Amino acid sequence: MSWAKLVSDKRFGLEHYHDSKQGVRSDFQRDFDRLIFSSPFRRLQNKTQVFPLPGSIFVHNRLTHSLEVACVGRSLATEAAIRLRENHAGEKWTACLDSIGDIVAAGCLAHDLGNPPFGHSGEKAIATYFSEGAGRQLREKLTEAQWQDLTHFEGNANTFRLLTHRFNGRRQGGFAMTYSTLASIVKYPFESSLAGEHGKFGFFDSERESFIRVADELGLLPLHSPAGLIRYARHPLVYLVEAADDICYEIMDIEDAHKLKILSTEEVIPLLLSYFDEARRNHIERVMGYVDDANEKIAYLRSSIVGLLVEKCAETFVKHEEEILAGTFRGALINHIPEREREAYRRCEALSWKKIYSDGDVVEIELAGTRIISFLIDELVKAVSNPGLNYSKLLLAKVPQQYEIDSPTLYGKIQAVLDHISGMTDVYALDLYRRLNGMSLKINN
């Protein structure tokens, strides 16, 4: 793959139109701004990251997480670009590297747009509704590819759909994002039939041709796959978007858990100090000695670690540039950083799984989210399958017109249901669940 082709400001759905007017913003900066002002992005403020929302103690939601990932991603890509320009000094194409900070920032901003309410449990709830729940009865009515899409439902693939699909009343190309920004969010550039036990994939069968168009335009490398199925090498900037997400969610989850007193100061400080060599650790401890507030100490440690991991991930990206461009690099950047930082990160991961993700409040969100989403899918799938029934008419009247509930295919109808549910906030999904179960009726005397 070549950087000159990988960085493209061609817009999806607007390929034959290009505004030649010179402005203060690049097309990639316009991508970022377009996302910031979009309704799906605003709705992230009421979607769970890990911990219940809202509370008396502020913790991250999907919106604040995405903003922080975009900030880290821009820094990471900018640092990588500086190093790449030094390595390729004198090459005519290096000017395109000036844009990768903006592309990665936009990709980071968009990376969670397709996630349903209630965190990752929402994805699991949708997938298991079809693989284990009432949705199993639909198996014989769908193609193999469509069934794989539903039983492996993936927020990443849903983000690509959200950004590229032409919903009712919307313009061609969906958000009409640049090709490079779209490619930067596809962590798993293959279809659901190749998801395997990992359960991850990059695009639904309905967006298969759209992804091929983007991949071929940017020169992504086709990789070997079974006949009829497609798999590509990642766009290199996916590694930077992924690294920014890895850095933010792991360190911020620990900071949030400390604020909520799930983790103690005594166990968090040594854990976070283990990222640093002795000299840097001594300096950090002296600085922390100037403040008494434990949360401020953890915040300082967090900022120091983010800066360190940005530097190490940028170094790793540039070190492995040749493998990344050849499509032979394996794993996430965070798994290839130097040993001390990598082992410290793994200790953070282990603690998170042991104490954070198994915390009672977190598990309760997963249980409630699974019940709510499964119920809503069941009601809406029944309605779109039997639209002539009176109850169906009443329920479908509440579905926004942009969703294609009258699609000519069952797969299209189910996708419309999932588009609607994925776009819901936690609060809206809970409220609709209560109303449909008669728990919160408004009756005037």
Side-chain angles (χ1 to χ4, degrees):
M1 295 181 281
S2 68
W3 284 112
K5 196 169 185 180
L6 288 164
V7 178
S8 171
D9 61 5
K10 180 180 286 190
R11 290 196 173 280
F12 188 80
L14 299 177
E15 288 86 354
H16 302 297
Y17 171 79
H18 192 277
D19 185 359
S20 59
K21 180 178 63 177
Q22 296 298 314
V24 295
R25 295 182 300 157
S26 71
D27 283 298
F28 306 117
Q29 289 170 331
R30 288 188 176 98
D31 282 349
F32 185 93
D33 296 348
R34 189 170 293 178
L35 290 163
I36 283 282
F37 285 92
S38 71
S39 295
F41 186 74
R42 288 196 297 273
R43 287 197 291 268
L44 293 179
Q45 68 181 314
N46 271 320
K47 287 192 175 186
T48 299
Q49 176 66 15
V50 173
F51 300 104
L53 303 172
S56 58
I57 299 174
F58 175 80
V59 293
H60 289 83
N61 54 43
R62 288 281 178 188
L63 182 75
T64 52
H65 168 70
S66 297
L67 289 168
E68 290 176 350
V69 174
C71 182
V72 171
R74 187 188 298 279
S75 297
L76 176 53
T78 300
E79 186 158 339
I82 292 171
R83 296 170 186 267
L84 288 172
R85 278 196 297 268
E86 291 174 353
N87 288 355
H88 298 288
E91 298 284 351
K92 294 180 179 179
W93 55 265
T94 55
C96 72
L97 296 173
D98 294 341
S99 298
I100 69 173
D102 292 328
I103 297 169
V104 170
C108 290
L109 208 61
H111 82 285
D112 272 349
L113 281 186
N115 281 45
F118 305 109
H120 289 296
S121 62
E123 292 174 286
K124 294 177 187 175
I126 293 173
T128 54
Y129 172 80
F130 295 99
S131 64
E132 301 174 7
R136 286 179 296 177
Q137 63 182 329
L138 302 172
R139 173 69 184 89
E140 300 305 318
K141 300 177 182 179
L142 299 165
T143 69
E144 180 62 24
Q146 292 167 351
W147 184 245
Q148 293 297 325
D149 283 354
L150 299 178
T151 55
H152 293 99
F153 182 88
E154 227 288 321
N156 192 250
N158 203 45
T159 296
F160 187 78
R161 173 175 170 79
L162 179 64
L163 294 177
T164 59
H165 182 68
R166 186 178 188 179
F167 292 95
N168 287 337
R170 303 302 173 89
R171 65 180 167 187
Q172 187 70 30
F175 274 56
M177 307 295 282
T178 62
Y179 276 45
S180 292
T181 295
L182 287 173
S184 75
I185 63 166
V186 184
K187 291 173 64 175
Y188 315 103
F190 47 84
E191 52 197 299
S192 58
S193 296
L194 296 171
E197 294 183 2
H198 191 236
K200 301 293 186 180
F201 64 102
F203 47 88
F204 298 121
D205 188 57
S206 51
E207 281 69 56
R208 188 178 193 268
E209 296 306 315
S210 295
F211 181 76
I212 291 173
R213 200 162 92 206
V214 171
D216 289 349
E217 171 67 24
L218 299 176
L220 302 189
L221 293 175
L223 301 179
H224 176 73
S225 60
L229 302 179
I230 62 167
R231 181 194 298 269
Y232 284 85
R234 281 178 165 188
H235 190 291
L237 298 185
V238 170
Y239 290 101
L240 299 181
V241 172
E242 179 182 51
D245 188 30
D246 288 343
I247 292 169
C248 287
Y249 82 74
E250 190 58 66
I251 306 306
M252 276 55 164
D253 285 356
I254 287 175
E255 184 180 12
D256 283 347
H258 176 262
K259 286 181 180 179
L260 293 169
K261 302 189 185 308
I262 295 171
L263 299 178
S264 69
T265 304
E266 290 71 28
E267 61 187 329
V268 171
I269 287 180
L271 179 74
L272 299 185
L273 281 173
S274 68
Y275 278 90
F276 306 100
D277 61 28
E278 184 177 1
R280 184 75 190 280
R281 190 160 57 243
N282 290 338
H283 171 75
I284 290 172
E285 288 179 313
R286 283 197 302 272
V287 173
M288 287 195 300
Y290 298 141
V291 296
D292 296 325
D293 189 315
N295 286 331
E296 284 300 306
K297 292 182 179 182
I298 302 303
Y300 173 63
L301 269 170
R302 176 256 300 156
S303 66
S304 300
I305 293 169
V306 169
L308 175 67
L309 292 180
V310 163
E311 177 188 350
K312 297 305 177 183
C313 285
E315 287 178 358
T316 301
F317 182 81
V318 175
K319 177 182 177 182
H320 295 279
E321 180 199 9
E322 185 175 338
E323 299 162 64
I324 290 170
L325 290 175
T328 58
F329 185 76
R330 295 291 177 265
L333 289 179
I334 205 78
N335 296 327
H336 294 269
I337 59 177
E339 183 177 4
R340 182 178 57 246
E341 293 84 357
R342 185 174 70 249
E343 290 306 311
Y345 186 89
R346 287 177 178 169
R347 284 191 289 273
C348 286
E349 277 188 314
L351 183 64
S352 294
W353 282 108
K354 181 179 179 181
K355 289 197 172 182
I356 298 177
Y357 306 136
S358 61
D359 178 73
D361 286 344
V362 175
V363 174
E364 282 182 13
I365 283 287
E366 291 192 3
L367 290 170
T370 298
R371 173 68 64 88
I372 292 166
I373 287 179
S374 297
F375 173 81
L376 294 179
I377 296 174
D378 199 43
E379 293 295 293
L380 285 163
V381 167
K382 289 176 183 175
V384 296
S385 300
N386 303 280
L389 300 179
N390 183 57
Y391 180 78
S392 298
K393 292 177 182 178
L394 293 172
L395 180 56
L396 295 178
K398 297 182 66 66
V399 178
Q401 293 183 353
Q402 72 187 74
Y403 302 124
E404 300 156 272
I405 55 175
D406 56 352
S407 171
T409 67
L410 175 61
Y411 177 63
K413 287 181 170 69
I414 294 173
Q415 279 198 307
V417 168
L418 300 184
D419 289 335
H420 180 35
I421 291 175
S422 296
M424 294 179 183
T425 63
D426 295 16
V427 173
Y428 182 86
L430 174 59
D431 182 62
L432 182 59
Y433 173 81
R434 286 173 170 168
R435 288 175 182 273
L436 294 180
N437 280 288
M439 298 177 185
S440 57
L441 292 175
K442 294 181 180 179
I443 302 176
N444 296 323
N445 294 327

